[in-house]
Amino acid sequence: MTEQLGLKERINRFIKAIMGVEGVSACALSSRDGILIGKAFPDGISAPSFAAMSATLLASAEAAASIAHVHPPKQIVATSEGASLMVISAGERTLIAAIVDDNTDHEKIYTSLTEIAHEIAEVL
């Protein structure tokens, strides 16, 4: 029981760190299979579906890169009016998916999320 509580605390710490990045308005931490691990989303949004579709997005981009014989993508960004979806691998088993405000520095956000992703990869 203590080990599970410790894991939940670590996941909550990662979610808080992701949400602490300027420009991130919502996020999910999931397995690469799309299973939701942690989230910070407003009510009314299906975080499990968001996690599953984000994992599909990353897996599809990695498959396309493999077919094209190029390195796997470091990040996937889907841009829309007012916000973007940024998906970043966090090791072999997990990923970060974040909703990012458009009027923020995406490169700075990517750098911050990558640092968090390295920590996640070591722990999860």
Side-chain angles (χ1 to χ4, degrees), residues 9 22 29 38 45 50 53 62 83 93:
E9 289 172 350
E22 184 179 346
L29 183 61
I45 294 180
F50 176 80
M53 293 302 104
E62 289 174 339
R93 296 182 293 225

Side-chain angles (χ1 to χ4, degrees), residues 82-111:
S84 296
L85 165 63
M86 187 177 290
V87 183
I88 299 172
S89 176
E92 292 181 21
R93 296 182 293 225
T94 55
L95 62 87
I96 297 170
I99 302 296
V100 177
D101 299 329
D102 266 354
N103 44 342
T104 54
D105 183 350
H106 284 205
E107 194 60 37
K108 187 175 179 181
I109 293 169
Y110 170 71
T111 300

Side-chain angles (χ1 to χ4, degrees), residues 4-43:
Q4 281 186 334
L5 183 61
L7 180 60
K8 285 183 182 181
E9 289 172 350
R10 283 188 220 134
I11 290 167
N12 287 335
R13 184 178 59 91
F14 290 134
I15 294 298
K16 286 179 184 176
I18 295 165
M19 291 303 295
V21 175
E22 184 179 346
V24 173
S25 59
C27 72
L29 183 61
S30 75
S31 71
R32 293 185 61 106
D33 294 332
I35 297 170
L36 184 66
I37 297 170
K39 65 179 175 76
F41 265 95
D43 290 337

Side-chain angles (χ1 to χ4, degrees), residues 43-65:
D43 290 337
I45 294 180
S46 175
S49 293
F50 176 80
M53 293 302 104
S54 296
T56 300
L57 183 64
L58 181 61
S60 295
E62 289 174 339

